[in-house]
Every structure is written in C-alpha cells, then in structure tokens.
Amino acid sequence: EVQLQASGGGLVQAGGSLRLSCAASGFTFDDYDIGWFRQAPGKERERVSCISSSDAIPYYRDSVKDRFTISRDNAKNTAYLRMNSLKPEDTAVYYCATRDRWYSRNENDYAYWGQGTQVTVSS
C-alpha cells in the first residue's frame, strides 16, 4: 500500500523555521516525483514546491522562493521541506504528494497524498 506520512508541523513565531518530513512507503521512492502543497482556511490548495525523481531540480512558487528548500533522501525514502523566515501567511495545512514521471505534468495532479501537518505562524 502506498503511504505518505507528513510530519514536522507546529506553532512558531514569525521569522522562525520548521522542517517538514514526508516519509514514503509501499513504492519505489526513487522513481517518483514529490510535491509539497498547502491549504489555508478558505483558500484553494496550492503547490508550494516540487522535486523530480530524475534531475532533482527544485521548483518553488514565488511566495516561498528563497525561504523554503525542498530536498529528498532516497536512501531514507523521505522528502523534506525546510521553511525559513516564516510569515503568518504561511499558516496552512501542508501536504506531501507523489506521482511517477509519466503520471501527469499538471501542477495539481498527483497520484497519492499524505494526511497533512499543520503549520501555524504567529505574529
């Protein structure tokens, strides 16, 4: 069974940092792309970052560029999202998702999703 377990969320003050983890099981992690998404109350889910299974070149949406860093450790079947200089507007439930490289190239079209972890940034 394909499973993704997101963890590492919490409550931090503005300017603080968190590292989210996405532990994967049930599939060949090396062959799958990873995406990080977030959804704030009353807003659409948006992709924050993604990293490919091939060249591992990351993508970041403009609002988090230069603050967030995505990475993956294939030996541990785990992906990460390091979040620095957090702002109150980063408050959301963060999800990790995965797909193989032939599944889709659409931003929001992923095959499997984790349960999400809450990130709250206070001012």
Side-chain angles (χ1 to χ4, degrees):
E1 179 183 357
V2 173
Q3 291 188 320
L4 298 172
Q5 181 67 49
S7 62
L11 174 62
V12 298
Q13 292 186 328
S17 298
L18 286 172
R19 189 181 72 163
L20 307 184
S21 298
C22 177
S25 62
F27 61 98
T28 304
F29 183 79
D30 306 44
D31 296 333
Y32 282 71
D33 301 337
I34 298 294
W36 282 100
F37 294 77
R38 66 186 182 187
Q39 187 167 28
K43 304 194 73 174
E44 291 291 314
R45 186 174 60 202
E46 62 182 14
R47 191 170 70 178
V48 176
S49 182
C50 60
I51 188 167
S52 71
S53 62
S54 53
D55 55 20
I57 295 175
Y59 162 82
Y60 306 95
R61 69 183 306 108
D62 287 344
S63 60
V64 307
K65 192 178 295 290
D66 300 323
R67 298 189 296 119
F68 291 11
T69 303
I70 190 171
S71 62
R72 63 189 298 158
D73 186 339
N74 290 342
K76 296 181 178 180
N77 289 347
T78 302
Y80 305 94
L81 185 69
R82 178 69 181 183
M83 305 184 295
N84 294 325
S85 302
L86 283 162
K87 305 174 180 179
E89 51 263 43
D90 295 319
T91 295
V93 177
Y94 284 71
Y95 302 87
C96 62
T98 191
R99 64 188 181 191
D100 66 53
R101 64 191 183 101
W102 302 113
Y103 183 85
S104 176
R105 288 294 182 265
N106 294 331
E107 178 174 345
N108 297 311
D109 192 5
Y110 281 72
Y112 302 101
W113 295 80
Q115 87 290 354
T117 184
Q118 176 71 47
V119 172
T120 303
V121 185
S122 65
S123 59

